Coordinates of all heavy atoms in Angstrom, one line a residue:
M1 N 19.0 63.3 -53.8 CA 18.7 64.4 -52.9 C 17.3 64.0 -52.3 O 16.4 63.7 -53.0 CB 18.6 65.7 -53.7 CG 18.1 66.8 -52.8 SD 18.0 68.4 -53.6 CE 16.4 68.4 -54.3
H2 N 17.2 64.2 -51.0 CA 15.9 64.0 -50.4 C 15.5 65.4 -49.9 O 16.2 66.1 -49.3 CB 16.0 63.1 -49.1 CG 16.1 61.7 -49.5 ND1 17.3 61.1 -49.9 CD2 15.2 60.7 -49.6 CE1 17.2 59.9 -50.2 NE2 15.9 59.6 -50.0
L3 N 14.2 65.7 -50.2 CA 13.7 67.0 -49.8 C 12.4 66.8 -49.0 O 11.5 66.2 -49.5 CB 13.4 67.9 -51.1 CG 12.7 69.2 -50.9 CD1 13.7 70.2 -50.2 CD2 12.4 69.8 -52.3
W4 N 12.4 67.3 -47.8 CA 11.2 67.2 -47.0 C 10.4 68.5 -47.2 O 10.9 69.6 -47.1 CB 11.5 67.1 -45.5 CG 11.9 65.7 -45.1 CD1 13.2 65.2 -45.0 CD2 11.0 64.7 -44.7 NE1 13.1 63.9 -44.6 CE2 11.8 63.5 -44.4 CE3 9.7 64.6 -44.5 CZ2 11.3 62.4 -44.0 CZ3 9.1 63.4 -44.1 CH2 9.9 62.3 -43.8
I5 N 9.1 68.3 -47.5 CA 8.2 69.4 -47.7 C 7.0 69.3 -46.8 O 6.4 68.2 -46.7 CB 7.7 69.5 -49.1 CG1 8.9 69.7 -50.1 CG2 6.7 70.6 -49.3 CD1 8.6 69.8 -51.5
G6 N 6.8 70.3 -46.0 CA 5.6 70.4 -45.2 C 4.7 71.5 -45.6 O 5.2 72.6 -45.9
V7 N 3.4 71.3 -45.8 CA 2.5 72.3 -46.3 C 1.2 72.2 -45.4 O 0.7 71.1 -45.1 CB 2.1 72.0 -47.8 CG1 1.1 73.0 -48.3 CG2 3.3 71.9 -48.7
E8 N 0.7 73.4 -45.0 CA -0.5 73.5 -44.2 C -1.4 74.6 -44.8 O -0.9 75.7 -45.1 CB -0.2 73.7 -42.8 CG 0.5 72.6 -42.1 CD 0.6 72.8 -40.6 OE1 -0.1 73.7 -40.0 OE2 1.5 72.1 -40.0
N9 N -2.6 74.2 -45.0 CA -3.6 75.2 -45.4 C -3.1 76.0 -46.7 O -3.2 77.2 -46.7 CB -4.0 76.2 -44.3 CG -4.6 75.5 -43.1 OD1 -5.4 74.5 -43.3 ND2 -4.2 75.9 -42.0
F10 N -2.7 75.2 -47.7 CA -2.2 75.8 -48.9 C -2.9 75.2 -50.1 O -2.8 74.0 -50.3 CB -0.7 75.6 -48.9 CG 0.1 76.5 -49.8 CD1 0.2 77.9 -49.5 CD2 0.7 76.1 -51.0 CE1 0.9 78.7 -50.3 CE2 1.4 77.0 -51.8 CZ 1.5 78.3 -51.4
A11 N -3.7 76.0 -50.8 CA -4.5 75.5 -51.9 C -5.5 74.4 -51.4 O -6.1 74.7 -50.4 CB -3.7 75.0 -53.1
K12 N -5.5 73.3 -52.0 CA -6.4 72.2 -51.5 C -5.8 71.3 -50.4 O -6.5 70.4 -49.9 CB -6.8 71.3 -52.7 CG -7.5 72.1 -53.8 CD -7.8 71.2 -54.9 CE -8.5 72.0 -56.0 NZ -9.4 71.3 -56.8
I13 N -4.6 71.6 -50.0 CA -3.9 70.7 -49.0 C -4.2 71.3 -47.6 O -3.7 72.4 -47.3 CB -2.4 70.6 -49.4 CG1 -2.3 70.1 -50.8 CG2 -1.7 69.8 -48.3 CD1 -0.8 70.1 -51.3
E14 N -4.8 70.5 -46.8 CA -5.0 70.9 -45.4 C -3.7 70.8 -44.7 O -3.3 71.7 -44.0 CB -6.1 70.0 -44.7 CG -7.3 70.7 -44.4 CD -8.3 69.8 -43.7 OE1 -8.0 69.4 -42.6 OE2 -9.3 69.5 -44.3
S15 N -3.1 69.7 -44.7 CA -1.8 69.4 -44.1 C -1.1 68.2 -44.7 O -1.7 67.2 -45.0 CB -2.1 69.1 -42.6 OG -0.9 68.9 -41.9
A16 N 0.2 68.4 -45.0 CA 0.9 67.3 -45.6 C 2.4 67.5 -45.2 O 2.9 68.6 -45.1 CB 0.8 67.3 -47.1
R17 N 3.1 66.4 -45.0 CA 4.5 66.4 -44.8 C 5.0 65.2 -45.5 O 4.7 64.0 -45.2 CB 4.9 66.3 -43.3 CG 6.3 66.3 -43.1 CD 6.6 66.4 -41.6 NE 8.0 66.6 -41.4 CZ 8.8 65.6 -41.0 NH1 8.4 64.4 -40.7 NH2 10.1 65.8 -40.8
V18 N 5.9 65.4 -46.6 CA 6.4 64.3 -47.4 C 7.8 64.5 -47.6 O 8.4 65.6 -47.7 CB 5.6 64.2 -48.7 CG1 4.2 63.9 -48.6 CG2 5.8 65.5 -49.5
C19 N 8.5 63.3 -47.7 CA 9.9 63.3 -48.2 C 9.9 62.9 -49.6 O 9.4 61.9 -50.0 CB 10.7 62.3 -47.3 SG 12.4 62.2 -47.8
V20 N 10.5 63.7 -50.4 CA 10.5 63.4 -51.9 C 11.9 63.2 -52.4 O 12.9 63.8 -51.9 CB 9.8 64.6 -52.7 CG1 8.3 64.7 -52.3 CG2 10.5 65.9 -52.5
N21 N 12.0 62.3 -53.4 CA 13.2 62.1 -54.1 C 12.8 61.8 -55.5 O 11.7 61.9 -55.9 CB 14.1 61.0 -53.4 CG 13.4 59.7 -53.4 OD1 12.7 59.3 -54.3 ND2 13.6 59.0 -52.3
K22 N 13.7 61.3 -56.3 CA 13.4 61.0 -57.7 C 12.4 59.9 -57.9 O 11.9 59.7 -59.0 CB 14.6 60.8 -58.6 CG 15.5 59.6 -58.2 CD 16.7 59.6 -59.1 CE 17.6 58.4 -58.7 NZ 18.8 58.4 -59.6
Y23 N 12.1 59.1 -56.9 CA 11.2 58.0 -57.0 C 9.9 58.2 -56.2 O 9.1 57.2 -56.0 CB 11.8 56.7 -56.6 CG 13.1 56.4 -57.4 CD1 14.3 56.4 -56.8 CD2 12.9 56.0 -58.7 CE1 15.4 56.1 -57.5 CE2 14.1 55.8 -59.4 CZ 15.3 55.8 -58.9 OH 16.4 55.5 -59.6
T24 N 9.5 59.4 -55.8 CA 8.3 59.6 -55.0 C 7.1 59.5 -55.9 O 7.0 59.9 -57.0 CB 8.4 61.0 -54.5 OG1 9.5 61.2 -53.6 CG2 7.1 61.3 -53.6
L25 N 6.1 58.8 -55.3 CA 4.8 58.6 -56.0 C 3.7 59.2 -55.0 O 3.6 58.9 -53.9 CB 4.6 57.1 -56.2 CG 3.2 56.7 -56.7 CD1 3.1 57.2 -58.2 CD2 3.1 55.2 -56.7
F26 N 2.8 60.0 -55.6 CA 1.7 60.6 -54.8 C 0.4 59.8 -55.2 O 0.1 59.7 -56.3 CB 1.5 62.1 -55.1 CG 2.6 62.9 -54.6 CD1 3.4 63.6 -55.5 CD2 2.9 63.0 -53.3 CE1 4.4 64.4 -55.1 CE2 3.9 63.8 -52.8 CZ 4.7 64.5 -53.8
V27 N -0.3 59.3 -54.2 CA -1.5 58.5 -54.4 C -2.5 59.1 -53.5 O -2.3 59.4 -52.3 CB -1.3 57.0 -54.0 CG1 -2.5 56.3 -54.2 CG2 -0.1 56.5 -54.8
G28 N -3.8 59.3 -54.0 CA -4.8 59.8 -53.2 C -6.1 60.0 -54.1 O -6.0 59.9 -55.3
P29 N -7.2 60.4 -53.4 CA -8.4 60.6 -54.1 C -8.3 61.8 -55.1 O -7.5 62.7 -54.9 CB -9.5 60.9 -53.1 CG -8.7 61.1 -51.8 CD -7.3 60.6 -52.0
N30 N -9.2 61.8 -56.1 CA -9.3 63.0 -57.0 C -9.5 64.3 -56.2 O -10.2 64.3 -55.2 CB -10.5 62.8 -58.0 CG -10.2 61.7 -59.0 OD1 -9.0 61.3 -59.2 ND2 -11.2 61.2 -59.6
N31 N -8.9 65.4 -56.7 CA -9.2 66.7 -56.2 C -8.6 66.8 -54.7 O -9.2 67.6 -53.9 CB -10.7 67.1 -56.2 CG -10.9 68.6 -56.3 OD1 -10.0 69.3 -56.7 ND2 -12.0 69.0 -55.8
S32 N -7.6 66.1 -54.4 CA -7.0 66.2 -53.0 C -5.7 67.0 -53.0 O -5.2 67.2 -51.9 CB -6.7 64.8 -52.5 OG -5.8 64.1 -53.3
G33 N -5.2 67.5 -54.1 CA -4.0 68.3 -54.1 C -2.7 67.6 -54.6 O -1.6 68.2 -54.4
K34 N -2.8 66.4 -55.1 CA -1.6 65.7 -55.6 C -0.9 66.5 -56.6 O 0.4 66.6 -56.5 CB -2.0 64.3 -56.1 CG -2.6 63.4 -55.1 CD -3.0 62.0 -55.7 CE -3.8 62.1 -56.9 NZ -5.2 62.5 -56.7
T35 N -1.6 67.0 -57.6 CA -0.9 67.7 -58.7 C -0.3 69.0 -58.2 O 0.9 69.3 -58.5 CB -1.9 68.0 -59.8 OG1 -2.4 66.8 -60.3 CG2 -1.3 68.8 -60.9
F36 N -1.0 69.7 -57.3 CA -0.5 70.9 -56.7 C 0.8 70.6 -56.0 O 1.8 71.3 -56.1 CB -1.5 71.6 -55.8 CG -0.9 72.8 -55.1 CD1 -0.8 74.0 -55.8 CD2 -0.5 72.7 -53.8 CE1 -0.3 75.1 -55.2 CE2 0.1 73.8 -53.2 CZ 0.2 75.0 -53.8
L37 N 0.8 69.6 -55.2 CA 2.0 69.2 -54.4 C 3.2 68.8 -55.3 O 4.3 69.2 -55.1 CB 1.7 68.0 -53.4 CG 2.8 67.7 -52.4 CD1 3.1 68.9 -51.6 CD2 2.3 66.5 -51.6
M38 N 2.9 68.1 -56.4 CA 3.9 67.8 -57.3 C 4.5 69.0 -58.0 O 5.7 69.1 -58.2 CB 3.4 66.8 -58.4 CG 4.5 66.2 -59.2 SD 5.5 65.2 -58.2 CE 7.1 65.4 -58.9
Q39 N 3.7 70.0 -58.3 CA 4.2 71.2 -58.9 C 5.1 72.0 -57.9 O 6.1 72.6 -58.3 CB 3.0 72.1 -59.4 CG 2.3 71.5 -60.6 CD 1.0 72.2 -61.0 OE1 0.4 72.9 -60.1 NE2 0.6 72.0 -62.2
L40 N 4.7 71.9 -56.7 CA 5.5 72.6 -55.6 C 6.8 71.9 -55.5 O 7.8 72.6 -55.4 CB 4.7 72.5 -54.3 CG 5.3 73.2 -53.1 CD1 5.5 74.7 -53.3 CD2 4.5 72.9 -51.8
V41 N 6.8 70.6 -55.5 CA 8.1 69.8 -55.4 C 9.0 70.2 -56.6 O 10.2 70.4 -56.5 CB 7.8 68.3 -55.4 CG1 9.1 67.5 -55.6 CG2 7.2 67.9 -54.1
Q42 N 8.4 70.2 -57.8 CA 9.2 70.5 -59.0 C 9.8 71.9 -58.9 O 10.9 72.2 -59.3 CB 8.4 70.4 -60.3 CG 8.1 69.0 -60.6 CD 7.1 68.9 -61.8 OE1 6.2 69.7 -62.0 NE2 7.3 67.8 -62.6
G43 N 9.0 72.9 -58.4 CA 9.5 74.3 -58.3 C 10.5 74.4 -57.2 O 11.4 75.3 -57.3
L44 N 10.6 73.5 -56.2 CA 11.6 73.7 -55.2 C 12.8 72.8 -55.3 O 13.6 72.7 -54.5 CB 10.9 73.3 -53.8 CG 9.8 74.2 -53.3 CD1 9.2 73.7 -52.1 CD2 10.4 75.6 -53.1
G45 N 12.9 72.1 -56.5 CA 14.0 71.2 -56.7 C 15.3 72.0 -56.9 O 15.5 73.1 -56.4
D46 N 16.3 71.4 -57.5 CA 17.6 71.9 -57.7 C 17.6 73.3 -58.3 O 18.5 74.1 -58.0 CB 18.5 71.0 -58.5 CG 18.7 69.6 -57.9 OD1 18.7 69.6 -56.6 OD2 19.0 68.7 -58.6
K47 N 16.7 73.6 -59.1 CA 16.7 74.9 -59.8 C 16.6 76.1 -58.8 O 17.2 77.1 -58.9 CB 15.5 75.0 -60.8 CG 15.7 74.1 -62.0 CD 14.5 74.1 -62.9 CE 14.6 73.0 -63.9 NZ 13.4 72.9 -64.7
I48 N 15.8 75.9 -57.8 CA 15.6 76.9 -56.8 C 16.8 77.2 -56.0 O 17.1 78.3 -55.6 CB 14.3 76.7 -55.9 CG1 13.9 78.0 -55.3 CG2 14.6 75.7 -54.8 CD1 12.5 78.0 -54.8
V49 N 17.6 76.1 -55.7 CA 18.9 76.3 -55.0 C 19.8 77.2 -55.8 O 20.5 78.0 -55.2 CB 19.5 74.9 -54.7 CG1 20.9 75.1 -54.1 CG2 18.6 74.1 -53.8
R50 N 19.8 77.0 -57.1 CA 20.7 77.9 -58.0 C 20.2 79.3 -58.0 O 21.0 80.2 -58.2 CB 20.8 77.3 -59.4 CG 21.6 76.0 -59.4 CD 21.7 75.5 -60.8 NE 21.2 74.2 -60.8 CZ 20.4 73.7 -61.7 NH1 19.9 74.4 -62.6 NH2 20.0 72.4 -61.6
L51 N 18.9 79.5 -57.9 CA 18.3 80.8 -58.0 C 18.5 81.7 -56.8 O 18.7 82.9 -56.8 CB 16.8 80.7 -58.4 CG 16.0 82.0 -58.5 CD1 16.6 82.9 -59.6 CD2 14.6 81.7 -58.6
L52 N 18.5 81.0 -55.6 CA 18.4 81.7 -54.4 C 19.7 81.9 -53.7 O 20.7 81.1 -53.9 CB 17.5 80.9 -53.4 CG 16.1 80.7 -53.8 CD1 15.4 79.9 -52.8 CD2 15.4 82.0 -54.0
E53 N 19.8 83.0 -53.0 CA 20.9 83.2 -52.1 C 20.5 82.9 -50.7 O 19.3 82.6 -50.4 CB 21.3 84.7 -52.2 CG 21.7 85.2 -53.6 CD 21.9 86.7 -53.7 OE1 21.5 87.4 -52.7 OE2 22.3 87.1 -54.7
E54 N 21.4 82.9 -49.8 CA 21.1 82.5 -48.4 C 20.1 83.4 -47.8 O 19.3 83.0 -47.0 CB 22.4 82.6 -47.6 CG 22.2 81.9 -46.2 CD 23.6 81.8 -45.5 OE1 24.6 81.5 -46.2 OE2 23.6 82.0 -44.3
D55 N 20.0 84.7 -48.2 CA 19.0 85.7 -47.7 C 17.6 85.2 -47.9 O 16.8 85.3 -47.0 CB 19.2 87.0 -48.3 CG 20.5 87.7 -47.9 OD1 21.1 87.3 -47.0 OD2 20.9 88.6 -48.6
A56 N 17.4 84.7 -49.1 CA 16.0 84.2 -49.4 C 15.6 83.0 -48.6 O 14.5 82.9 -48.1 CB 15.9 83.9 -50.9
M57 N 16.6 82.1 -48.4 CA 16.3 80.9 -47.7 C 16.1 81.2 -46.2 O 15.3 80.5 -45.5 CB 17.4 79.8 -47.8 CG 17.5 79.3 -49.3 SD 15.9 78.7 -50.0 CE 15.6 77.3 -49.0
D58 N 16.7 82.3 -45.7 CA 16.5 82.7 -44.3 C 15.0 83.1 -44.1 O 14.6 83.0 -42.9 CB 17.4 83.8 -43.9 CG 18.8 83.4 -43.7 OD1 19.0 82.2 -43.5 OD2 19.7 84.2 -43.7
I59 N 14.3 83.5 -45.1 CA 12.9 83.9 -45.0 C 12.1 82.6 -44.5 O 11.2 82.7 -43.7 CB 12.4 84.4 -46.3 CG1 13.0 85.8 -46.6 CG2 10.8 84.6 -46.2 CD1 12.7 86.3 -48.0
L60 N 12.5 81.5 -45.1 CA 11.8 80.2 -44.8 C 12.4 79.4 -43.7 O 11.7 78.4 -43.3 CB 11.7 79.4 -46.1 CG 11.1 80.1 -47.4 CD1 11.2 79.2 -48.6 CD2 9.7 80.5 -47.1
L61 N 13.6 79.7 -43.3 CA 14.2 78.9 -42.3 C 13.5 78.9 -41.0 O 13.2 79.9 -40.4 CB 15.7 79.4 -42.1 CG 16.5 78.6 -41.1 CD1 16.8 77.2 -41.7 CD2 17.9 79.3 -40.9
E62 N 13.3 77.7 -40.5 CA 12.6 77.5 -39.2 C 13.6 77.0 -38.1 O 13.6 77.5 -37.0 CB 11.4 76.6 -39.3 CG 10.7 76.4 -37.9 CD 9.5 75.5 -38.0 OE1 8.5 75.9 -38.6 OE2 9.6 74.4 -37.5
Q63 N 14.5 76.1 -38.5 CA 15.3 75.5 -37.5 C 16.5 74.9 -38.2 O 16.4 74.3 -39.3 CB 14.5 74.5 -36.8 CG 15.2 73.8 -35.6 CD 14.3 72.8 -34.9 OE1 13.3 72.3 -35.5 NE2 14.5 72.6 -33.7
K64 N 17.7 74.9 -37.6 CA 18.9 74.2 -38.0 C 19.2 73.1 -37.0 O 19.3 73.4 -35.8 CB 20.1 75.1 -38.2 CG 20.0 76.0 -39.4 CD 21.3 76.7 -39.7 CE 21.3 77.3 -41.0 NZ 22.5 77.7 -41.6
I65 N 19.4 71.9 -37.5 CA 19.7 70.8 -36.6 C 20.8 69.9 -37.1 O 20.7 69.4 -38.2 CB 18.4 69.9 -36.4 CG1 17.2 70.7 -36.1 CG2 18.7 68.8 -35.4 CD1 15.9 69.9 -36.3
E66 N 21.9 69.9 -36.4 CA 23.0 69.0 -36.8 C 23.2 68.8 -38.3 O 23.1 67.7 -38.8 CB 22.8 67.6 -36.1 CG 22.7 67.6 -34.6 CD 22.4 66.3 -34.1 OE1 22.7 65.3 -34.7 OE2 22.0 66.2 -32.9
G67 N 23.5 69.9 -39.0 CA 23.8 69.8 -40.4 C 22.6 69.8 -41.3 O 22.8 69.7 -42.5
Y68 N 21.4 69.8 -40.8 CA 20.2 69.9 -41.6 C 19.5 71.2 -41.3 O 19.5 71.7 -40.2 CB 19.2 68.7 -41.2 CG 19.8 67.4 -41.6 CD1 20.5 66.6 -40.7 CD2 19.5 66.9 -42.9 CE1 21.0 65.4 -41.1 CE2 20.0 65.6 -43.3 CZ 20.7 64.9 -42.4 OH 21.2 63.7 -42.7
S69 N 18.8 71.7 -42.3 CA 18.0 72.9 -42.2 C 16.6 72.6 -42.4 O 16.3 71.8 -43.4 CB 18.5 74.0 -43.1 OG 19.8 74.3 -42.9
K70 N 15.7 73.1 -41.6 CA 14.3 72.9 -41.7 C 13.6 74.2 -42.2 O 13.8 75.2 -41.6 CB 13.7 72.4 -40.4 CG 12.2 72.2 -40.4 CD 11.7 71.8 -39.1 CE 10.2 71.6 -39.0 NZ 9.7 71.3 -37.7
Y71 N 12.9 74.1 -43.3 CA 12.3 75.3 -43.9 C 10.8 75.1 -43.8 O 10.3 74.0 -44.0 CB 12.7 75.5 -45.4 CG 14.2 75.7 -45.5 CD1 15.1 74.7 -45.7 CD2 14.8 77.0 -45.3 CE1 16.5 74.9 -45.8 CE2 16.1 77.2 -45.4 CZ 17.0 76.2 -45.7 OH 18.3 76.4 -45.7
L72 N 10.1 76.2 -43.5 CA 8.7 76.2 -43.4 C 8.0 77.1 -44.3 O 8.3 78.3 -44.4 CB 8.3 76.5 -41.9 CG 6.8 76.5 -41.6 CD1 6.3 75.1 -41.7 CD2 6.6 77.0 -40.1
L73 N 7.0 76.6 -45.1 CA 6.2 77.5 -46.0 C 4.8 77.7 -45.3 O 4.2 76.7 -45.0 CB 6.0 76.8 -47.3 CG 7.1 76.6 -48.2 CD1 6.8 75.7 -49.4 CD2 7.7 77.9 -48.7
Y74 N 4.5 78.9 -45.1 CA 3.2 79.3 -44.6 C 2.8 80.6 -45.3 O 3.6 81.2 -46.0 CB 3.1 79.4 -43.1 CG 4.0 80.5 -42.5 CD1 3.6 81.8 -42.3 CD2 5.4 80.2 -42.2 CE1 4.4 82.8 -41.8 CE2 6.2 81.2 -41.8 CZ 5.7 82.5 -41.5 OH 6.5 83.5 -41.1
Q75 N 1.5 81.0 -45.2 CA 1.0 82.1 -46.0 C 1.9 83.3 -46.0 O 2.2 83.9 -47.0 CB -0.4 82.4 -45.6 CG -1.1 83.3 -46.6 CD -2.6 83.4 -46.4 OE1 -3.1 82.8 -45.4 NE2 -3.3 84.1 -47.2
G76 N 2.3 83.8 -44.8 CA 3.1 85.0 -44.7 C 4.5 84.8 -45.3 O 5.0 85.7 -45.9
S77 N 5.1 83.7 -45.0 CA 6.5 83.5 -45.5 C 6.5 83.3 -47.1 O 7.4 83.7 -47.7 CB 7.2 82.3 -44.9 OG 6.6 81.1 -45.3
V78 N 5.4 82.7 -47.6 CA 5.3 82.5 -49.0 C 5.2 83.8 -49.7 O 5.9 84.1 -50.7 CB 4.1 81.6 -49.4 CG1 3.9 81.6 -50.9 CG2 4.4 80.2 -49.0
A79 N 4.4 84.8 -49.2 CA 4.3 86.1 -49.8 C 5.6 86.8 -49.8 O 6.0 87.4 -50.8 CB 3.2 86.9 -49.0
Q80 N 6.3 86.8 -48.7 CA 7.6 87.5 -48.6 C 8.6 86.8 -49.5 O 9.4 87.5 -50.1 CB 8.1 87.4 -47.1 CG 9.3 88.2 -46.8 CD 9.7 88.2 -45.4 OE1 9.1 87.5 -44.6 NE2 10.8 88.9 -45.0
F81 N 8.6 85.5 -49.5 CA 9.5 84.7 -50.4 C 9.3 85.0 -51.9 O 10.2 85.2 -52.6 CB 9.3 83.2 -50.1 CG 10.2 82.3 -50.8 CD1 11.5 82.2 -50.4 CD2 9.8 81.5 -51.8 CE1 12.4 81.3 -51.0 CE2 10.6 80.6 -52.4 CZ 11.9 80.5 -52.0
M82 N 8.0 85.1 -52.3 CA 7.7 85.4 -53.7 C 8.1 86.8 -54.0 O 8.6 87.1 -55.1 CB 6.2 85.2 -53.9 CG 5.9 83.7 -53.9 SD 4.2 83.3 -54.4 CE 4.2 83.8 -56.1
D83 N 7.9 87.8 -53.1 CA 8.4 89.1 -53.4 C 9.9 89.1 -53.6 O 10.4 89.8 -54.5 CB 8.1 90.0 -52.2 CG 6.6 90.4 -52.1 OD1 5.9 90.1 -53.0 OD2 6.2 90.8 -51.0
Y84 N 10.6 88.4 -52.8 CA 12.1 88.3 -53.0 C 12.4 87.7 -54.4 O 13.3 88.2 -55.1 CB 12.7 87.4 -51.9 CG 14.2 87.4 -52.0 CD1 15.0 88.3 -51.4 CD2 14.8 86.3 -52.7 CE1 16.4 88.2 -51.5 CE2 16.2 86.3 -52.9 CZ 17.0 87.2 -52.2 OH 18.3 87.1 -52.4
I85 N 11.8 86.6 -54.7 CA 12.0 85.9 -56.0 C 11.7 86.8 -57.2 O 12.5 87.0 -58.1 CB 11.2 84.6 -56.1 CG1 11.7 83.6 -55.1 CG2 11.3 84.0 -57.5 CD1 13.1 83.2 -55.2
N86 N 10.5 87.5 -57.1 CA 10.1 88.4 -58.2 C 11.1 89.6 -58.3 O 11.5 90.0 -59.5 CB 8.7 89.0 -57.9 CG 7.7 87.9 -58.2 OD1 7.9 87.1 -59.1 ND2 6.6 88.0 -57.5
A87 N 11.7 90.1 -57.3 CA 12.7 91.1 -57.3 C 13.9 90.6 -58.0 O 14.6 91.4 -58.8 CB 13.0 91.7 -55.9
K88 N 14.3 89.4 -57.7 CA 15.5 88.8 -58.3 C 15.3 88.6 -59.8 O 16.3 88.6 -60.6 CB 15.9 87.5 -57.7 CG 16.6 87.7 -56.3 CD 17.4 86.6 -55.9 CE 18.5 86.3 -56.9 NZ 19.9 86.3 -56.5
L89 N 14.1 88.3 -60.3 CA 13.8 87.9 -61.7 C 13.8 89.2 -62.5 O 13.9 89.1 -63.7 CB 12.6 87.1 -61.8 CG 12.6 85.7 -61.2 CD1 11.3 85.1 -61.2 CD2 13.7 84.9 -61.9
H90 N 13.5 90.3 -61.9 CA 13.4 91.6 -62.7 C 14.7 92.2 -63.0 O 15.7 92.2 -62.6 CB 12.5 92.5 -62.0 CG 11.1 92.1 -62.1 ND1 10.1 92.7 -61.5 CD2 10.5 91.0 -62.7 CE1 8.9 92.1 -61.7 NE2 9.2 91.1 -62.5

């Protein structure tokens, strides 16, 4: 599975767009957000697909293109997304 993740102004990450798979390696200076990005990737892996329904993913959906869906995380969508997840967990 390949998962594209784009992050802007989130924690220590100003802007990043990466394609991750089981062989992805993050390299960069200390305190640049590598660990945070890796935790985000782990949280969005296969487990989240099992947890979520289509309604939750529609919160993050930005665009559908020829069989691919593009999801965008930004401050407002993350808050709404987390509210949805927390409601499902209770």
Side-chain angles (χ1 to χ4, degrees):
M1 173 178 92
H2 287 80
L3 175 66
W4 280 93
I5 297 178
V7 179
E8 291 186 20
N9 299 320
F10 202 67
K12 295 179 182 208
I13 302 170
E14 250 183 66
S15 180
R17 183 172 184 257
V18 294
C19 179
V20 295
N21 61 36
K22 63 183 179 179
Y23 300 112
T24 300
L25 174 68
F26 294 116
V27 178
N30 290 342
N31 207 25
S32 63
K34 298 180 304 290
T35 301
F36 175 78
L37 187 57
M38 191 64 214
Q39 290 171 338
L40 182 62
V41 168
Q42 288 175 326
L44 293 174
D46 293 335
K47 294 176 187 174
I48 201 159
V49 173
R50 286 183 238 131
L51 176 64
L52 300 177
E53 297 171 353
E54 192 171 322
D55 294 342
M57 295 309 289
D58 284 344
I59 294 169
L60 304 177
L61 183 64
E62 181 177 289
Q63 187 177 25
K64 283 193 173 199
I65 309 167
E66 300 177 19
Y68 293 93
S69 297
K70 178 181 178 182
Y71 298 94
L72 180 65
L73 291 171
Y74 61 94
Q75 192 169 4
S77 70
V78 169
Q80 187 179 4
F81 186 72
M82 289 185 67
D83 288 345
Y84 181 90
I85 296 297
N86 285 329
K88 284 205 58 127
L89 293 174
H90 288 175

